[in-house]
Every structure is written in structure tokens, then in C-alpha cells.
Amino acid sequence: MSRDTATGGAVSSLVAVKSIDRSRTVHSVRAGFLAACCTVGLLAGCSSTDAEPAAEQPASTNEVTIAVTPTTTTVVDPGTEPRRLLAFDTAESDAQNIDLTTTSSVQQQIDVGAAQDFSSPELTVPLSASTADAVSEEDASTGATRSIDLTIGAATSPDEGLTDALSASEGSTARLAATDSGAITALHITPADAALDTARAAIERSFNAAVYRSVAFPDAEVGVGAVWTIDQQVLSGITLNQRTTVTLRALDGDRATVDVAITQTPESSVWNLPDNSGTLNIASYTYTGSGTLDIDLTQPLPVGGSISAGGDQMYTDPDSTTVLRQTVGDSITWGDR
């Protein structure tokens, strides 16, 4: 997909949210009754970085950079007069304190077998965000003009085991490379020295979901009622074409309220499984979502709102009658603290 010079680059994923992207992961299940005993991959996220680690080992202190796919923004309706160009100007703002809460549910069934639950626990990540005008050479190459620096507070979850694992992640940092239009072009995460891999992966899922649910403004003047689309690809085992349709519901000074509608469609009708373990036909695929975000152009992150999405998918084995069904759902919520 070509880069939109108006938005200045890519919105990915973290949230990309894995989307989110919805934030999704690739799990594997062994379909032993298949003649070839091939591995069937379970798609449950926006990025392969969502895969759960196998052991509770301290994470690397090195910064992790998560690739972001480019976006194309197209104005459908400029809205009513008066119209103006909407762009972020956060250089003079104080640190923003906001909570990011994400959920992800995945239910899978093979033929008439028992349903399996691969859902991730709800996670609330307190964030302190500030903006710097200087960007690295690497981020500048993606079209970024500013850096959103994030410090992670004491993250929590209804899952007590995950909350315990998260305690060592307090003080971890992250950085979003962004354009003045709001497009996210890169995501960097630096775990705290003692952070455990389970906690690190959960935080990465949340950021991926937030990135894939972010909103960029067009490079044209718009007014209340304006509608524009944001097209991007979500890479998660299957390449998905995601379209986000944004409607400017209200505009009061620097405060904008936008309604968001999301659809995803697979680019191909065939899923090439990881590690050359075969293919599945995509028999049906639905995934839609909607929500509302409150955006302050003087703040680096949304100041409120939520987006929920979900759908059903069915995959078939080209060499047998085996059918894999999935029902997925995810949400992100921004809230002041």
C-alpha cells in the first residue's frame, strides 16, 4: 500500500488497537485426525508479536521496535462550514495521564469438537504521555514529525496472576512516532529490566490494539459532519485490509469527537499457515466494529472513548472436510485518571 503523504505515514498496529488491531496472536493446535497431521494456526491478533512466551523469564532491556503499516486517508465528505485543517499541536502541553484498557476474546471450534477459549485477560495500563518535537532518523524516515513518549504505571488485570507478573513492568517506557495528522508510524517499547515476558507480551498487545484503533485526520479542511476513510493492512498471519471510516461528530476549539466504524476483509481467500505447514481456505470472514473517541489536539493521546469490534470466521482444510470456526472480539477504552 502506498504511503499517504497527507497523513505523513502509517498507522499500525497498537495498536495497530493487533489491531484492536485489534490486538491478536497466532496460536497453534494439532489436528491429529488430519491425514497429513498438519498444524492449524489460530488467528487471534494484529501482529505476530502477540504470541505468548512459553516461560516467565526476564525480558531483554533492549528496545523493541514493532513495525507499522502505512495508511491512506481519503475525504468522502468535507462536512459543513466553517471548515479548518485539524492537526495536533502538543508541544506546549503538560504530561497527559490516561488509562488504556483493552480486552480480547477468541473462541475456536474444530468440526463438532468442544469449543476452546484462547482469550486474553482484560488489561488496564496507566500511561503518562508527553511529546517531543525531535524524532530519530529512523522515525523520520517513516514520515514522523513528533515523538510521543510514554511511561507505564502499575498495570492491573482481573487475572491475579497477570497482575502479579505486571508489577515488575512498572516504569517501562514506550515511544510512538507520529505525524501532526495523528498517524502512528512506529512503535518502540523498552521493558523495565525486571519485566517478565508474560507481562511484556500483554503490554505489547494493548499497544498494538491502540495503534490499530488510532485516528488520523486528513490533510484537507473539514467541518462537523465530515467523513473520511483510513485504509491500511493488518498483518497477522492472514493479511487483512482494514478500512476505518471516521465521522466528525462535534468540534469545539481543539476538542473533536469522532465516530469510528471498522471493517476488515482478507486480502486472499487462502491462509498460508506458518512454518510451511500447509494452507486453509477462508470460507467466510466477518469482522466489524464501531465506537467513539474524544480527541484533544493539544494532547498526545485520546482523552476518552472506546471502540469495540468482533466477528466470525470459518476456515476449511482443502484436503479434508475439517472445518475450523472462530469467534473473536476486542475492545479498547481510554479514560482519565
Side-chain angles (χ1 to χ4, degrees), residues 265-281:
T265 56
E267 186 176 50
S268 170
S269 61
V270 175
W271 179 4
N272 294 306
L273 298 176
D275 302 322
N276 297 315
S277 54
T279 63
L280 291 179
N281 295 326

Side-chain angles (χ1 to χ4, degrees), residues 53-328:
E56 289 275 331
Q57 298 296 327
S60 169
T61 57
N62 294 331
E63 179 182 84
V64 176
T65 297
I66 299 174
V68 216
T69 54
T71 62
T72 300
T73 301
T74 305
V75 175
V76 178
D77 184 338
T80 60
E81 297 282 1
R83 302 183 186 122
R84 66 185 177 97
L85 188 66
L86 300 179
F88 286 85
D89 184 4
T90 60
E92 302 300 323
S93 63
D94 295 330
Q96 178 188 8
N97 295 312
I98 193 84
D99 282 346
L100 169 64
T101 299
T102 57
T103 67
S104 175
S105 63
V106 181
Q107 303 291 326
Q108 172 187 282
Q109 184 180 27
I110 299 176
D111 289 335
V112 294
Q116 297 172 293
D117 189 348
F118 292 97
S119 302
S120 301
E122 177 183 299
L123 178 63
T124 297
V125 183
L127 298 171
S128 178
S130 59
T131 304
D133 289 334
V135 297
S136 67
E137 183 176 341
E138 176 188 7
D139 287 342
S141 69
T142 69
T145 55
R146 59 197 179 97
S147 176
I148 301 173
D149 298 323
L150 307 173
T151 301
I152 298 169
T156 59
S157 170
D159 184 303
E160 293 184 3
L162 179 57
T163 296
D164 290 342
L166 287 164
S167 61
S169 291
E170 186 172 358
S172 298
T173 60
R175 187 173 80 258
L176 299 171
T179 69
D180 291 341
S181 70
I184 308 300
T185 66
L187 167 62
H188 310 276
I189 302 175
T190 304
D193 289 345
L196 299 175
D197 280 348
T198 296
R200 175 197 54 75
I203 290 171
E204 284 186 13
R205 278 195 299 271
S206 288
F207 281 148
N208 275 325
V211 169
Y212 275 108
R213 298 295 178 261
S214 61
V215 167
F217 293 98
D219 69 339
E221 293 185 346
V222 292
V224 173
V227 179
W228 63 94
T229 58
I230 304 169
D231 290 301
Q232 68 186 130
Q233 287 191 325
V234 179
L235 307 178
S236 56
I238 298 173
T239 298
L240 303 171
N241 295 323
Q242 176 171 288
R243 168 161 288 186
T244 302
T245 301
V246 184
T247 302
L248 182 58
R249 185 206 296 177
L251 182 61
D252 182 9
D254 290 320
R255 184 77 172 246
T257 300
V258 295
D259 292 330
V260 177
I262 296 168
T263 59
Q264 285 183 353
T265 56
E267 186 176 50
S268 170
S269 61
V270 175
W271 179 4
N272 294 306
L273 298 176
D275 302 322
N276 297 315
S277 54
T279 63
L280 291 179
N281 295 326
I282 304 174
S284 63
Y285 191 103
T286 63
Y287 183 84
T288 60
S290 62
T292 299
L293 293 178
D294 293 319
I295 298 172
D296 187 334
L297 295 172
T298 68
Q299 298 293 321
L301 300 174
V303 296
S306 63
I307 300 173
S308 297
D312 297 295
Q313 295 92 46
M314 183 170 70
Y315 308 96
T316 60
D317 178 15
D319 298 321
S320 74
T321 59
T322 299
V323 176
L324 169 66
R325 294 179 175 85
Q326 288 182 172
T327 298
V328 301

